[in-house]
Amino acid sequence: MLKSVQIGLLSLIGLQSFGQQGVLKSDVLGQGIGRRPASGEVALDSEKEQQVLFEPKQFKSINQSIIETEHQVVFIGKMAPEGLNIYEIPLFGDYQKSAVQLEEDRLFLENCDKNFESRDKASRFFSDMGWQYLSEGSKEMSTYRFNLAYLLDENNIDAFWGLGVIEYQQGKYEDAIKLMSQGIQRDSKFNVSLMVDLATVHLACYLENSHSIDLQKANKLLSDATLLAPNFANAYFQMSKMHLLENKIDEAWSDFHKGYSLKPSDLDTGLLSQLLEKQADPKGLFK
């Protein structure tokens, strides 16, 4: 697991109250969310130039065909609409690739096999590049790299995590949840940062549609996260936000203080303002 860095950001609830898009903050990467490789593991400019030598080219896809089974019509080879670049859609949009694209993918994988010790390392190289491009604000380039990481290793959780972050940043919460959930399903090591990020997206989704299931899922993820990593401050801050949404103010203050005691530098001013509007700080630390 790569090392990560964290900084404090405005809270999700605080931003929502001003009608702005929230940001997650479990292992921050610049303007986005998710984990970011340590500085020594982020691809250098020379590596960016190197990767261009064996990235697949972009082609347009047309047409589709169908077959009928005993129970339903199944689309086989559903091709992307003319002009749509599937490499810039999460997981290629589940579209069938053209013969030319499949050949380019084959050559890409072949070249990766020559340039990396393993496809696992090649996949991590491209997911690291995805995080780097995302930190620079280039969502299309980032999506492209995460897709390549997925092409190399379908179990690379960073591919799903990163693509989920991109969808979240665009306000596509349901899509973000689907992608991050796939990452969780493939994660045998229980990545707490990913769990907290997914919980935060569920909270954003609840603010948008008021579906109680989102609160239930956020609660389960955050409860598990605090058990696995009792000293992870952001898990408590997110738990505080969840309790605030449930109007459980005493619990919200309790978790806020837990998070603050663990990492004061991550003080969530937006959340603090929301709490103070509801009730004075029981400990009298904040006015």
Side-chain angles (χ1 to χ4, degrees):
M1 178 57 75
L2 300 178
K3 295 181 180 179
S4 56
V5 295
Q6 296 182 351
I7 60 174
L9 295 177
L10 294 177
S11 73
L12 172 64
I13 293 179
L15 287 172
Q16 288 289 347
S17 65
F18 291 100
Q20 297 176 327
Q21 170 62 33
V23 290
L24 306 188
K25 64 174 185 176
S26 296
D27 297 326
V28 174
L29 64 141
Q31 297 300 314
I33 58 108
R35 63 190 288 286
R36 178 183 179 178
S39 58
E41 295 167 316
V42 175
L44 303 177
D45 289 340
S46 60
E47 291 174 314
K48 288 184 180 180
E49 295 174 0
Q50 174 192 12
Q51 72 175 353
V52 176
L53 298 176
F54 49 88
E55 287 186 350
K57 298 177 183 178
Q58 309 301 296
F59 294 91
K60 299 175 181 178
S61 303
I62 57 175
N63 302 325
Q64 68 179 23
S65 59
I66 61 173
I67 61 172
E68 289 192 18
T69 67
E70 294 181 357
H71 304 289
Q72 61 183 340
V73 174
V74 180
F75 285 87
I76 300 297
K78 182 179 180 182
M79 310 301 283
E82 180 74 20
L84 182 64
N85 185 351
I86 65 173
Y87 286 86
E88 294 178 352
I89 304 173
L91 305 184
F92 309 105
D94 290 327
Y95 288 111
Q96 175 64 46
K97 295 179 180 178
S98 68
V100 176
Q101 288 172 323
L102 290 172
E103 176 61 13
E104 288 296 329
D105 283 356
R106 186 190 68 78
L107 292 174
F108 165 71
L109 294 172
E110 183 179 282
N111 281 316
C112 283
D113 290 340
K114 294 177 181 178
N115 284 276
F116 295 93
E117 293 181 13
S118 66
R119 289 192 179 182
D120 174 67
K121 289 187 176 181
S123 180
R124 284 188 279 119
F125 171 83
F126 282 100
S127 60
D128 288 352
M129 288 298 298
W131 289 121
Q132 181 66 21
Y133 276 116
L134 186 54
S135 72
E136 296 168 0
S138 181
K139 291 183 174 60
E140 290 182 353
M141 296 292 283
S142 180
T143 298
Y144 182 28
R145 270 48 180 207
F146 284 127
N147 278 337
L148 295 181
Y150 171 75
L151 182 63
L152 284 156
D153 179 8
E154 294 185 359
N155 291 313
N156 183 345
I157 68 170
D158 278 271
F160 300 97
W161 193 350
L163 291 169
V165 168
I166 294 170
E167 295 299 281
Y168 171 83
Q169 289 184 347
Q170 299 177 91
K172 301 177 181 177
Y173 303 139
E174 295 287 355
D175 291 335
I177 288 172
K178 290 177 183 177
L179 287 162
M180 289 186 183
S181 294
Q182 290 185 67
I184 291 285
Q185 292 168 6
R186 288 166 169 78
D187 181 17
S188 60
K189 297 181 180 180
F190 301 104
N191 188 304
V192 173
S193 292
L194 174 54
M195 294 168 66
V196 174
D197 276 1
L198 177 54
T200 308
V201 180
H202 274 295
L203 294 180
C205 203
Y206 177 79
L207 281 168
E208 185 175 77
N209 57 37
S210 299
H211 292 164
S212 60
I213 187 65
D214 284 307
L215 282 182
Q216 295 171 21
K217 290 184 176 181
N219 187 19
K220 178 65 165 63
L221 286 162
L222 293 171
S223 296
D224 289 346
T226 54
L227 287 174
L228 291 166
N231 296 322
F232 190 35
N234 191 39
Y236 293 103
F237 283 127
Q238 299 307 317
M239 188 78 82
S240 177
K241 293 175 184 178
M242 183 191 69
H243 289 315
L244 185 59
L245 289 171
E246 297 172 319
N247 203 34
K248 298 178 180 179
I249 311 304
D250 290 336
E251 289 90 335
W253 269 117
S254 177
D255 284 318
F256 182 86
H257 281 295
K258 288 179 183 177
Y260 179 73
S261 65
L262 289 168
K263 197 167 184 181
S265 61
D266 273 3
L267 173 64
D268 192 327
T269 56
L271 174 59
L272 176 59
S273 296
Q274 294 283 323
L275 287 169
L276 288 171
E277 286 180 8
K278 292 286 187 178
Q279 177 183 300
D281 180 4
K283 292 189 176 183
L285 294 178
F286 301 99
K287 303 294 184 180

